[in-house]
Amino acid sequence: MAYRVPFVDPRTHYKNIKTEVDQAIIDCLTQGDLVYRQQLHDFEQHLADFVGTKYAIGLNSGYHALHFSLLAAGIKPGDEVITVAHTFVATISAIVHCGAKPVLIDVGADYNMDMDLLEAAITPQTKAVIPVHLNGRICDMDRIMAIAEKYDLKVIEDAAQSLGATFNGSNAGSIGHTGCFSFYPFKILGGIGDGGALTTNDPEIATIASRLRYNGEDRETGEYHFHGYTALLDNVQAAVLDVKLGYLPSWIEHRRHIASLFHEGLRDIAGLVIPSFNDPAYFDIFQNYVIRTKDRDPLRQHLNDDGIETLVHWVKPVWEHKDLALENPALPETESICREVISLPMSAETTPEHVKQTVQSIRQFFKR
Ligand SMILES: Cc1ncc(COP(=O)(O)O)c(C=O)c1O
């Protein structure tokens, strides 16, 4: 079905920056710059500068940034790592693949970790915590860092959805021991396939991650230091991402403008919860614009019938996927959110006209 308001629009996205993207790809191909070349190093430097860390290590997914962060933190079987259940499954899978136990806690009204629950979940086995900065909003990192310091925990920021977001002036991915980013095509900085990066100020972590992505090899000496993975960010991918990184500040401003229009259009509807806007401590980048209502399914159907494409992250709590063999942590907020949220169209290509049509359709639904 062709939507009059698409959720995202990758063809227009490409068309708008085609000349530069094409040139970056042609340069790589004609020069034979395919693996671990200057384009990768440049992108890593520019990303580190943007995030405000000493190092950025290009990887082939956000998943690997999480997994390598945990390995670099020394997470092993028998350890516990605290995170939220309301996240993409990759956050939890990375913990499981280290042989550790994911301890899942609930989220608050902003869909991020409920910090009031964190301390009670800590046991002598807890070694790390992964706050997930969901939908483009960073967690309250002051509280998390204070608790982590008190209990000597590593902090791994899952910033896959929040490149460019800040809390009290500090950037997502620059506050904990590591930051984990995803360049999945529909992220705010999306590649032309999968990609990711790990950011850190710690030279030892940077070295471990650099080797883990290259099957354990030190590229300078050729020595294999451990059994690693094939998880390097492709050079062509890095060249494209480097072009797109130049546009990121303007895309963030665009998303914030679109969010402000949604805010104006939707803020007085009884039965509809919209994201908070312009909190002084937070600079949100609106990877997703998530609304919440008990009438979620009929509203979504109404929008669909009206030609407006939406998405639901995620239709059931992660522990209900029986084959994942996760304990049911009984998290009421996570359960309700799964039944009540819808993500509205939001991308660099979303226009004020798209917002107008979406708002009109939602208002019409709630008038009935
Ligand atoms: C919150 C969160 N964590 C982790 C990931 C994993 O990133 P990737 O898909 O690049 O492996 C994603 C990507 O969707 C995500 O949204």
Side-chain angles (χ1 to χ4, degrees), residues 60-64 66 87-91 132-134 158-161 180-184 187 194-196 314:
N60 62 5
S61 68
Y63 166 80
H64 275 105
L66 289 159
T87 180
F88 183 52
V89 67
T91 318
V132 180
H133 309 322
L134 209 66
D158 183 337
Q161 297 194 5
C180 303
F181 293 98
S182 167
F183 309 127
Y184 173 75
K187 294 293 194 250
D194 279 314
W314 293 269

